[in-house]
Amino acid sequence: MKVQLKWFQGRRKSLLYAAGGAIVVGALIAVVSLARGGVPAFGQSFAIGVVDMQRALDGHPRKAASERALQEFFQAKQREFAERSKGMTAEQRQLLDRELQQQFLVKRQELLGGLDKEIRATVEEIARGEGVSVVLERSVVLFGGVDLTDKVIRRVTGK
């Protein structure tokens, strides 16, 4: 009888430790969820938004000017290549081409990257206002979701 009692007491301690650990883990999950601000708790629903980023970029009022500037930059780099590559070996021309392509990519990021950042900030702002928890690019969503694209375009264009 004493042996059975000791065995039960040992098991009881293990069960108490397990229950205490579960309570601590549950409390930790609750604290993390609350600290993240707005993360739905278990059982609550959340809205998923979608945005067609290409359409939003196309609707940006500064896109046409940025593309014109990028096209002019590209043409200037083509002229620079034609002028500098005279008398170069094939390997030297290839290195020059890579260098000018890199400059073009940097310029592209400079001109269009700012528009992308502005659109993404607008998406976040609208999603928060609409109570949308997650926003995905339209092209990765087969069905459903709250389409925020028109609201983003209106906000960016000021209309």
Side-chain angles (χ1 to χ4, degrees), residues 128-140:
R128 288 185 190 278
E130 297 282 323
V132 173
S133 306
V134 176
V135 179
L136 301 171
E137 163 59 49
R138 178 80 218 163
S139 64
V140 299

mmCIF file with all atom_site columns, all heavy atoms in Angstrom, residues 128-140:
data_model
loop_
_atom_site.group_PDB
_atom_site.id
_atom_site.type_symbol
_atom_site.label_atom_id
_atom_site.label_alt_id
_atom_site.label_comp_id
_atom_site.label_asym_id
_atom_site.label_entity_id
_atom_site.label_seq_id
_atom_site.pdbx_PDB_ins_code
_atom_site.Cartn_x
_atom_site.Cartn_y
_atom_site.Cartn_z
_atom_site.occupancy
_atom_site.B_iso_or_equiv
_atom_site.pdbx_formal_charge
_atom_site.auth_seq_id
_atom_site.auth_comp_id
_atom_site.auth_asym_id
_atom_site.auth_atom_id
_atom_site.pdbx_PDB_model_num
ATOM 1  N N   . ARG A 1 128 ? -5.815  48.909 -41.795 1.00 0.00 ? 128 ARG A N   1
ATOM 2  C CA  . ARG A 1 128 ? -6.070  49.153 -40.366 1.00 0.00 ? 128 ARG A CA  1
ATOM 3  C C   . ARG A 1 128 ? -7.423  49.828 -40.159 1.00 0.00 ? 128 ARG A C   1
ATOM 4  O O   . ARG A 1 128 ? -8.178  49.474 -39.262 1.00 0.00 ? 128 ARG A O   1
ATOM 5  C CB  . ARG A 1 128 ? -4.959  49.988 -39.754 1.00 0.00 ? 128 ARG A CB  1
ATOM 6  C CG  . ARG A 1 128 ? -3.660  49.224 -39.597 1.00 0.00 ? 128 ARG A CG  1
ATOM 7  C CD  . ARG A 1 128 ? -2.615  50.082 -38.860 1.00 0.00 ? 128 ARG A CD  1
ATOM 8  N NE  . ARG A 1 128 ? -1.309  49.493 -38.898 1.00 0.00 ? 128 ARG A NE  1
ATOM 9  C CZ  . ARG A 1 128 ? -0.892  48.536 -38.078 1.00 0.00 ? 128 ARG A CZ  1
ATOM 10 N NH1 . ARG A 1 128 ? -1.699  48.067 -37.162 1.00 0.00 ? 128 ARG A NH1 1
ATOM 11 N NH2 . ARG A 1 128 ? 0.331   48.048 -38.184 1.00 0.00 ? 128 ARG A NH2 1
ATOM 12 N N   . GLY A 1 129 ? -7.721  50.813 -41.001 1.00 0.00 ? 129 GLY A N   1
ATOM 13 C CA  . GLY A 1 129 ? -8.992  51.523 -40.902 1.00 0.00 ? 129 GLY A CA  1
ATOM 14 C C   . GLY A 1 129 ? -10.195 50.638 -41.189 1.00 0.00 ? 129 GLY A C   1
ATOM 15 O O   . GLY A 1 129 ? -11.270 50.833 -40.630 1.00 0.00 ? 129 GLY A O   1
ATOM 16 N N   . GLU A 1 130 ? -10.020 49.662 -42.053 1.00 0.00 ? 130 GLU A N   1
ATOM 17 C CA  . GLU A 1 130 ? -11.103 48.752 -42.428 1.00 0.00 ? 130 GLU A CA  1
ATOM 18 C C   . GLU A 1 130 ? -11.189 47.537 -41.511 1.00 0.00 ? 130 GLU A C   1
ATOM 19 O O   . GLU A 1 130 ? -12.069 46.698 -41.677 1.00 0.00 ? 130 GLU A O   1
ATOM 20 C CB  . GLU A 1 130 ? -10.901 48.263 -43.870 1.00 0.00 ? 130 GLU A CB  1
ATOM 21 C CG  . GLU A 1 130 ? -10.949 49.356 -44.910 1.00 0.00 ? 130 GLU A CG  1
ATOM 22 C CD  . GLU A 1 130 ? -12.356 49.786 -45.238 1.00 0.00 ? 130 GLU A CD  1
ATOM 23 O OE1 . GLU A 1 130 ? -13.253 48.925 -45.266 1.00 0.00 ? 130 GLU A OE1 1
ATOM 24 O OE2 . GLU A 1 130 ? -12.564 50.990 -45.448 1.00 0.00 ? 130 GLU A OE2 1
ATOM 25 N N   . GLY A 1 131 ? -10.243 47.398 -40.588 1.00 0.00 ? 131 GLY A N   1
ATOM 26 C CA  . GLY A 1 131 ? -10.233 46.237 -39.707 1.00 0.00 ? 131 GLY A CA  1
ATOM 27 C C   . GLY A 1 131 ? -9.761  44.965 -40.399 1.00 0.00 ? 131 GLY A C   1
ATOM 28 O O   . GLY A 1 131 ? -10.139 43.862 -40.009 1.00 0.00 ? 131 GLY A O   1
ATOM 29 N N   . VAL A 1 132 ? -8.943  45.125 -41.419 1.00 0.00 ? 132 VAL A N   1
ATOM 30 C CA  . VAL A 1 132 ? -8.410  43.978 -42.163 1.00 0.00 ? 132 VAL A CA  1
ATOM 31 C C   . VAL A 1 132 ? -7.113  43.542 -41.498 1.00 0.00 ? 132 VAL A C   1
ATOM 32 O O   . VAL A 1 132 ? -6.217  44.347 -41.273 1.00 0.00 ? 132 VAL A O   1
ATOM 33 C CB  . VAL A 1 132 ? -8.184  44.350 -43.646 1.00 0.00 ? 132 VAL A CB  1
ATOM 34 C CG1 . VAL A 1 132 ? -7.478  43.238 -44.389 1.00 0.00 ? 132 VAL A CG1 1
ATOM 35 C CG2 . VAL A 1 132 ? -9.509  44.698 -44.310 1.00 0.00 ? 132 VAL A CG2 1
ATOM 36 N N   . SER A 1 133 ? -7.022  42.253 -41.184 1.00 0.00 ? 133 SER A N   1
ATOM 37 C CA  . SER A 1 133 ? -5.867  41.716 -40.463 1.00 0.00 ? 133 SER A CA  1
ATOM 38 C C   . SER A 1 133 ? -4.696  41.378 -41.365 1.00 0.00 ? 133 SER A C   1
ATOM 39 O O   . SER A 1 133 ? -3.547  41.522 -40.980 1.00 0.00 ? 133 SER A O   1
ATOM 40 C CB  . SER A 1 133 ? -6.262  40.450 -39.713 1.00 0.00 ? 133 SER A CB  1
ATOM 41 O OG  . SER A 1 133 ? -7.366  40.699 -38.883 1.00 0.00 ? 133 SER A OG  1
ATOM 42 N N   . VAL A 1 134 ? -4.984  40.878 -42.556 1.00 0.00 ? 134 VAL A N   1
ATOM 43 C CA  . VAL A 1 134 ? -3.958  40.409 -43.483 1.00 0.00 ? 134 VAL A CA  1
ATOM 44 C C   . VAL A 1 134 ? -4.293  40.937 -44.871 1.00 0.00 ? 134 VAL A C   1
ATOM 45 O O   . VAL A 1 134 ? -5.442  40.912 -45.286 1.00 0.00 ? 134 VAL A O   1
ATOM 46 C CB  . VAL A 1 134 ? -3.922  38.862 -43.531 1.00 0.00 ? 134 VAL A CB  1
ATOM 47 C CG1 . VAL A 1 134 ? -2.919  38.366 -44.555 1.00 0.00 ? 134 VAL A CG1 1
ATOM 48 C CG2 . VAL A 1 134 ? -3.624  38.284 -42.169 1.00 0.00 ? 134 VAL A CG2 1
ATOM 49 N N   . VAL A 1 135 ? -3.264  41.422 -45.603 1.00 0.00 ? 135 VAL A N   1
ATOM 50 C CA  . VAL A 1 135 ? -3.459  41.868 -46.978 1.00 0.00 ? 135 VAL A CA  1
ATOM 51 C C   . VAL A 1 135 ? -2.489  41.100 -47.872 1.00 0.00 ? 135 VAL A C   1
ATOM 52 O O   . VAL A 1 135 ? -1.303  41.040 -47.595 1.00 0.00 ? 135 VAL A O   1
ATOM 53 C CB  . VAL A 1 135 ? -3.228  43.388 -47.136 1.00 0.00 ? 135 VAL A CB  1
ATOM 54 C CG1 . VAL A 1 135 ? -3.410  43.806 -48.589 1.00 0.00 ? 135 VAL A CG1 1
ATOM 55 C CG2 . VAL A 1 135 ? -4.162  44.170 -46.238 1.00 0.00 ? 135 VAL A CG2 1
ATOM 56 N N   . LEU A 1 136 ? -3.047  40.524 -48.931 1.00 0.00 ? 136 LEU A N   1
ATOM 57 C CA  . LEU A 1 136 ? -2.255  39.748 -49.880 1.00 0.00 ? 136 LEU A CA  1
ATOM 58 C C   . LEU A 1 136 ? -2.317  40.385 -51.262 1.00 0.00 ? 136 LEU A C   1
ATOM 59 O O   . LEU A 1 136 ? -3.270  41.105 -51.577 1.00 0.00 ? 136 LEU A O   1
ATOM 60 C CB  . LEU A 1 136 ? -2.805  38.319 -49.985 1.00 0.00 ? 136 LEU A CB  1
ATOM 61 C CG  . LEU A 1 136 ? -2.842  37.503 -48.697 1.00 0.00 ? 136 LEU A CG  1
ATOM 62 C CD1 . LEU A 1 136 ? -3.604  36.208 -48.924 1.00 0.00 ? 136 LEU A CD1 1
ATOM 63 C CD2 . LEU A 1 136 ? -1.443  37.228 -48.206 1.00 0.00 ? 136 LEU A CD2 1
ATOM 64 N N   . GLU A 1 137 ? -1.312  40.102 -52.067 1.00 0.00 ? 137 GLU A N   1
ATOM 65 C CA  . GLU A 1 137 ? -1.306  40.528 -53.469 1.00 0.00 ? 137 GLU A CA  1
ATOM 66 C C   . GLU A 1 137 ? -2.416  39.768 -54.191 1.00 0.00 ? 137 GLU A C   1
ATOM 67 O O   . GLU A 1 137 ? -2.588  38.562 -53.995 1.00 0.00 ? 137 GLU A O   1
ATOM 68 C CB  . GLU A 1 137 ? 0.061   40.225 -54.083 1.00 0.00 ? 137 GLU A CB  1
ATOM 69 C CG  . GLU A 1 137 ? 0.138   40.228 -55.583 1.00 0.00 ? 137 GLU A CG  1
ATOM 70 C CD  . GLU A 1 137 ? -0.265  41.530 -56.263 1.00 0.00 ? 137 GLU A CD  1
ATOM 71 O OE1 . GLU A 1 137 ? 0.226   42.594 -55.863 1.00 0.00 ? 137 GLU A OE1 1
ATOM 72 O OE2 . GLU A 1 137 ? -1.088  41.451 -57.192 1.00 0.00 ? 137 GLU A OE2 1
ATOM 73 N N   . ARG A 1 138 ? -3.191  40.454 -54.992 1.00 0.00 ? 138 ARG A N   1
ATOM 74 C CA  . ARG A 1 138 ? -4.354  39.875 -55.668 1.00 0.00 ? 138 ARG A CA  1
ATOM 75 C C   . ARG A 1 138 ? -3.987  38.616 -56.464 1.00 0.00 ? 138 ARG A C   1
ATOM 76 O O   . ARG A 1 138 ? -4.753  37.664 -56.531 1.00 0.00 ? 138 ARG A O   1
ATOM 77 C CB  . ARG A 1 138 ? -4.971  40.920 -56.602 1.00 0.00 ? 138 ARG A CB  1
ATOM 78 C CG  . ARG A 1 138 ? -6.155  40.434 -57.395 1.00 0.00 ? 138 ARG A CG  1
ATOM 79 C CD  . ARG A 1 138 ? -7.380  40.447 -56.542 1.00 0.00 ? 138 ARG A CD  1
ATOM 80 N NE  . ARG A 1 138 ? -8.201  39.283 -56.849 1.00 0.00 ? 138 ARG A NE  1
ATOM 81 C CZ  . ARG A 1 138 ? -9.159  38.841 -56.070 1.00 0.00 ? 138 ARG A CZ  1
ATOM 82 N NH1 . ARG A 1 138 ? -9.434  39.450 -54.950 1.00 0.00 ? 138 ARG A NH1 1
ATOM 83 N NH2 . ARG A 1 138 ? -9.863  37.807 -56.393 1.00 0.00 ? 138 ARG A NH2 1
ATOM 84 N N   . SER A 1 139 ? -2.807  38.599 -57.059 1.00 0.00 ? 139 SER A N   1
ATOM 85 C CA  . SER A 1 139 ? -2.426  37.484 -57.928 1.00 0.00 ? 139 SER A CA  1
ATOM 86 C C   . SER A 1 139 ? -2.247  36.166 -57.179 1.00 0.00 ? 139 SER A C   1
ATOM 87 O O   . SER A 1 139 ? -2.266  35.111 -57.801 1.00 0.00 ? 139 SER A O   1
ATOM 88 C CB  . SER A 1 139 ? -1.140  37.818 -58.687 1.00 0.00 ? 139 SER A CB  1
ATOM 89 O OG  . SER A 1 139 ? -0.072  37.979 -57.782 1.00 0.00 ? 139 SER A OG  1
ATOM 90 N N   . VAL A 1 140 ? -2.099  36.188 -55.861 1.00 0.00 ? 140 VAL A N   1
ATOM 91 C CA  . VAL A 1 140 ? -1.927  34.943 -55.110 1.00 0.00 ? 140 VAL A CA  1
ATOM 92 C C   . VAL A 1 140 ? -3.225  34.452 -54.480 1.00 0.00 ? 140 VAL A C   1
ATOM 93 O O   . VAL A 1 140 ? -3.240  33.415 -53.836 1.00 0.00 ? 140 VAL A O   1
ATOM 94 C CB  . VAL A 1 140 ? -0.835  35.062 -54.012 1.00 0.00 ? 140 VAL A CB  1
ATOM 95 C CG1 . VAL A 1 140 ? 0.508   35.393 -54.614 1.00 0.00 ? 140 VAL A CG1 1
ATOM 96 C CG2 . VAL A 1 140 ? -1.229  36.059 -52.950 1.00 0.00 ? 140 VAL A CG2 1
#
